[in-house]
Structure formats: C-alpha cells, structure tokens
C-alpha cells in the first residue's frame, strides 16, 4: 500500500480518537469496527492498482564541447556566511548559471544552522543567501525542529527547482525526517515546506544525501538511507507531486548507507554506497528494471573511510566518482573514472592531499548544459570549494586503468 495512503488512514484514526466521547457512546455497537474498516477499504480501493514499471529518463548526450579555456581546471572558494559549512549539492539553473546549497552555522547540528544558496555565473560565485531556517521549517510543518542538514538541490524538466533536506525534532541524525520545497524563480522564493511520509510509524529516520534520478512518469527515484539502530540504504519512488509511492531497502546492505546513484539507460542503474562497517570499501549495487529491484551490494576495490561519495554519469558515457581514496581520515579527495559501467576504475587523481586535521569531504558532482563538469566539496569544514573542468581535462588527468 502506498505510504501516503497509510498516512491518510492514520489521520482518519486520529479524527476518530478526537471524538472519543462519541466513540465511547458507540463502542458497544459491534458493527462500528467493521464499519470503520469498510470505510478505509472504500477510500483505499481507487489507489490499490499496481504501479506501472518504472523507467529512467535517458539524458541527451549531445552536449557541446566546452570552450578552450576550460582545458584546465579552475577552482573557487565560495564565501560562507557562518563559521562552518558542510554537505554541498549542485544544480544547473539554466542560462549558464550553477546553484549550490549547503548547511551553514556555528557547527554541525547547532540550532543556528541554516540552508544557504549561492550562484555561479561561469566566472565568480555570488554571496550565499539563506533559503531555509529552522524557524521557517518549524512554522511550515507545525513541528518542533531542532536542527537541519543534508540539502539536495535539483532542477526538473519544467525548470522547477526542488530542495530536499533533513530535519530533526528529537535525538540525533537517526531521528531525521525528509522535507521538500520548490522554487519556480530560480531559488529566490520557496514554497511552504512539506514533510515526506516515508514510514507509517513515527515517520522517522529517513535521510537524504544523493541527487534524484528522473522517471518517465514525471516522478523521481530518490536514494535515501536509514540510521535508527542500524544503517542501510533505501530507494524511494516519488510521484510528480512528491508523494512516496514505494520504498524498498537495498539488499545485502547492512552497515551501508548514503547511496549515490546514476542511470546507465532507461532500465539500468547502479548505486555506490558508503561503508560504515569494517571493510573500508565502497560497495556497488545494480538494478536492471528501473530501480524496481536491486541486486545485493558487493564490495569494490575502492577504499572508503566511512565518508560521503558522489557518482555522475557523464554525457560521453563514462562514470565519474568523487571520494576519499583512503581507509581512514578525510585528508585526501580524488576523482576516478570508469569506462565499463563500474566494473573497473582508474587510479585516483588527487584533488586535495592534506594532513593532520584537514578535512575534504562530502563531494557533489554535476555536468551542466554546456558540458562542463563541476565538483563541490567541504573544505576544512569552513567553506565549500568548487572545481570546474571540461571532459578533456578529465581525460588528461584521470588516467584510465584497472584497479
């Protein structure tokens, strides 16, 4: 049964409880439970039809070649309005502009953390503007909100900008819920926040980090994960109004989480998974039917120090991975390329090589409508750093070979 429908039935139950005096008066009537059940079934029947098989939107690979000046990589440090910055996400805003969101505040999990957004015009970044605050989310959802995190920015085929992010009312990140808002003016104004119904019980411990994959029915597949008691990755299918239609747990994924996914064609996709266990390796899972089912996740040879990763299917058919290529610490950040759909990966091309307490983490990847590739990541927990380059630079620096 669809999760949003379960939420509707729960609301019906609450409505009955609010009228407990009437309910007590009728409780002796044995037909009452049967009548309530029949009403619920009647409401549910129109939506109990099986879902159509999902199919991914296949991206247009006919992207232009970037200008000659982009044969080199260019980097920028984006000004941060607070002491700490983390968890960037990128989206192509159209018209040659790129948008970046991240959460900024005194430190991760603090009450003053807000989600901010900046824009890149191809040459420089704008100042970051606050687009979502704890107080705003609390007002819109009518729930106590203690902290915000993990924003995901994405633009759909109708130029509507989507923002998913997590919020916590009680406890730590394991008590998170996913929220959604949209903007039809490039991120200047946002719709009231809606909380996704991802579970019929308490609706807790669903977190988002990776970008969605669009589906041909107008919905999206959103990779999410669970952290309460145990970590595991999940796969949400949302309709065109951002309602959860299906949720499944990826098999063979105990102690794996934060999936990042890429399509290979209309039916096939792969997901790379962060490892919170002892293997210290990125894991890989595949789907052959639009994400309706997934093969059990298997460890790759790629090191992972329990840190975020990003995966991108380039217009030329290659897969691009951004990750920390080590088993501990986050002092290095690198790119690797696969030309055989993830069967093998090139040796890491290092973007950052630090030491001590340096941290370069939580990468995000995007290829814009001009063919340029963008990498954003947390830089020492103080700012977001942005690297932009063309496919020619990537070919010259990410030397392909088997790992």
């Amino acid at each position: 049964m669809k999760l949003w429908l379960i939420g509707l039935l729960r609301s019906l139950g609450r409505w009955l409880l609010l009228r407990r005096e009437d309910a007590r008066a009728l409780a002796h009537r044995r037909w009452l439970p049967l009548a309530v059940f029949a009403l619920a079934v009647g409401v549910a029947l129109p939506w109990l039809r099986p879902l159509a098989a999902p199919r991914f939107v296949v991206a247009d690979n006919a992207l232009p070649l970037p200008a000659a000046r982009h044969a080199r990589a260019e980097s920028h440090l984006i000004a941060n309005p607070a002491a700490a910055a983390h968890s960037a996400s990128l989206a192509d805003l159209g018209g040659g502009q790129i948008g970046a969101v991240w959460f900024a505040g005194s430190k991760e999990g603090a009450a003053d953390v807000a989600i901010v957004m900046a824009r890149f015009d191809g040459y420089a970044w704008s100042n970051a503007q606050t687009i979502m605050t704890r107080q705003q989310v609390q007002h819109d959802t009518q729930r106590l909100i203690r902290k915000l995190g993990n924003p995901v920015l994405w633009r759909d085929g109708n130029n509507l900008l989507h923002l998913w992010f997590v919020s916590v009312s009680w406890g730590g990140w394991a008590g998170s819920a996913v929220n959604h808002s949209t903007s039809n003016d490039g991120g200047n104004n946002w719709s009231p926040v809606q909380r996704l119904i991802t579970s019929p019980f308490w609706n807790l411990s669903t977190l988002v980090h990776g970008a969605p994959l669009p589906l041909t029915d107008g919905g999206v597949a959103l990779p999410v994960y669970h952290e309460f008691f145990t970590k595991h990755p999940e796969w949400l299918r949302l309709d065109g109004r951002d309602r959860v239609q299906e949720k499944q747990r990826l098999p063979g994924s105990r102690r794996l989480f934060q999936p990042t996914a890429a399509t290979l064609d209309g039916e096939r996709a792969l997901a790379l998974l962060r490892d919170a266990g002892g293997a210290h390796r990125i894991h890989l899972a595949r789907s052959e039917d639009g994400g309706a089912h997934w093969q059990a996740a298997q460890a790759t040879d790629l090191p992972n120090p329990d840190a975020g990763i990003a995966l991108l299917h380039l217009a030329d058919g290659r897969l691009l991975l951004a990750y920390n290529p080590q088993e501990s610490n986050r002092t290095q950040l690198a790119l690797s390329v696969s030309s055989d759909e993830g069967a093998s990966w090139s040796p890491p091309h290092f973007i950052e090589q630090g030491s001590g307490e340096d941290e370069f983490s939580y990468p995000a990847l995007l290829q814009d409508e001009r063919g340029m590739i963008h990498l954003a990541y947390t830089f020492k927990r103080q700012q977001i750093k942005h690297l932009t380059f063309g496919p020619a630079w990537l070919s010259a620096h990410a030397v392909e070979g088997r790992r």
Side-chain angles (χ1 to χ4, degrees):
M1 184 181 293
K2 300 177 184 179
L3 289 171
W4 69 267
L5 182 57
I6 294 174
L8 176 64
L9 298 180
R10 289 174 59 202
S11 298
L12 176 62
R14 293 195 197 100
W15 182 83
L16 289 172
L17 289 174
L18 288 175
R19 286 148 181 81
R20 55 184 176 273
E21 291 183 3
D22 292 339
R24 290 194 190 100
L26 295 173
H28 67 282
R29 303 182 185 179
R30 296 182 179 179
W31 53 263
L32 180 60
L34 182 61
V36 172
F37 176 76
L39 176 62
V41 171
V43 171
L45 279 175
W47 292 281
L48 291 179
R49 297 186 302 272
L51 291 172
R55 182 177 172 85
F56 299 117
V57 172
V58 179
D60 181 8
N61 292 336
L63 292 178
L65 292 175
R69 77 179 183 90
H70 294 303
R72 65 183 187 276
E74 299 178 356
S75 64
H76 307 82
L77 279 173
I78 310 175
N80 187 44
H86 195 41
S87 193
S89 177
L90 297 170
D92 191 338
L93 303 181
Q97 287 200 337
I98 297 299
V101 294
W102 65 95
F103 66 81
S106 56
K107 63 178 181 178
E108 179 178 343
D112 64 354
V113 166
I115 296 172
V116 301
M117 179 176 178
R119 294 170 177 81
F120 180 65
D121 62 5
Y123 295 91
W125 283 90
S126 70
N127 291 327
Q129 302 294 323
T130 299
I131 61 171
M132 203 64 63
T133 65
R134 182 176 59 85
Q135 292 83 359
Q136 179 181 346
V137 179
Q138 185 164 289
H139 173 271
D140 290 351
T141 62
Q142 293 296 293
R143 297 172 181 270
L144 172 69
I145 302 296
R146 293 180 54 247
K147 55 185 177 183
L148 305 179
N150 286 19
V152 171
L153 189 67
W154 180 72
R155 184 176 65 128
D156 67 21
N158 297 315
N159 293 320
L160 186 67
L161 204 58
H162 297 255
L163 177 70
W164 290 275
F165 61 95
V166 302
S167 64
V168 176
S169 297
W170 306 102
W173 292 122
S176 293
V178 178
N179 306 273
H180 178 248
S181 181
T182 60
S183 172
N184 58 15
D185 61 4
N188 294 310
N189 297 282
W190 293 88
S191 67
V193 175
Q194 298 290 325
R195 182 183 174 106
L196 269 63
I197 300 174
T198 62
S199 172
F201 303 106
W202 300 298
N203 197 29
L204 292 177
S205 200
T206 302
L207 297 90
V208 66
H209 177 62
L213 303 180
L215 301 173
T216 55
D217 64 3
V220 298
L222 186 65
V224 296
Y225 59 102
H226 176 95
E227 282 201 22
F228 192 59
F229 288 125
T230 181
K231 290 179 169 67
H232 59 258
E234 297 177 331
W235 191 255
L236 296 184
R237 182 177 175 183
L238 310 180
D239 66 12
R241 289 189 284 176
D242 208 57
R243 296 176 304 187
V244 178
Q245 295 183 299
E246 281 187 324
K247 181 176 79 168
Q248 61 173 300
R249 176 175 174 174
L250 273 63
S253 57
R254 185 174 179 272
R255 302 293 293 168
L256 305 176
F257 68 120
Q258 283 189 354
T260 176
T263 57
L264 300 175
D265 54 37
E267 285 80 30
R268 297 182 303 134
L270 73 153
L272 296 182
L273 309 168
R274 173 177 170 178
D275 178 19
H280 302 298
R281 291 293 181 270
I282 293 173
H283 284 60
L284 185 149
R286 296 183 185 273
S287 173
E288 303 288 335
D289 58 4
H293 303 88
W294 288 85
Q295 300 168 5
Q298 301 292 329
T300 70
D301 292 333
L302 297 162
N304 181 250
D306 192 5
I309 54 181
L311 178 66
L312 177 64
H313 190 192
L314 298 172
D316 61 16
R318 293 180 295 174
L319 292 171
L320 178 61
L321 168 66
Y323 67 118
N324 299 100
Q326 53 202 121
E327 293 189 358
S328 62
N329 301 319
R330 301 176 181 182
T331 57
Q332 299 176 336
L333 190 76
L335 298 173
S336 287
V337 172
S338 174
S339 295
D340 52 13
E341 299 183 342
S344 64
W345 296 88
S346 69
H349 172 71
F350 290 94
I351 301 299
E352 298 281 2
Q353 296 191 74
S355 61
E357 299 298 318
D358 291 342
E359 179 180 336
F360 312 104
S361 62
Y362 271 55
L365 289 167
L366 172 74
Q367 188 168 26
D368 66 27
E369 59 190 8
R370 301 173 301 150
M372 292 300 298
I373 303 166
H374 301 264
L375 167 67
Y377 55 94
T378 297
F379 182 81
K380 299 183 178 182
R381 288 278 179 158
Q382 299 169 355
Q383 290 178 274
I384 300 300
K385 191 169 182 179
H386 168 235
L387 189 70
T388 180
F389 50 89
W393 180 91
L394 181 64
S395 297
H397 291 81
V399 180
E400 297 189 19
R402 292 192 175 273
R403 289 188 56 88

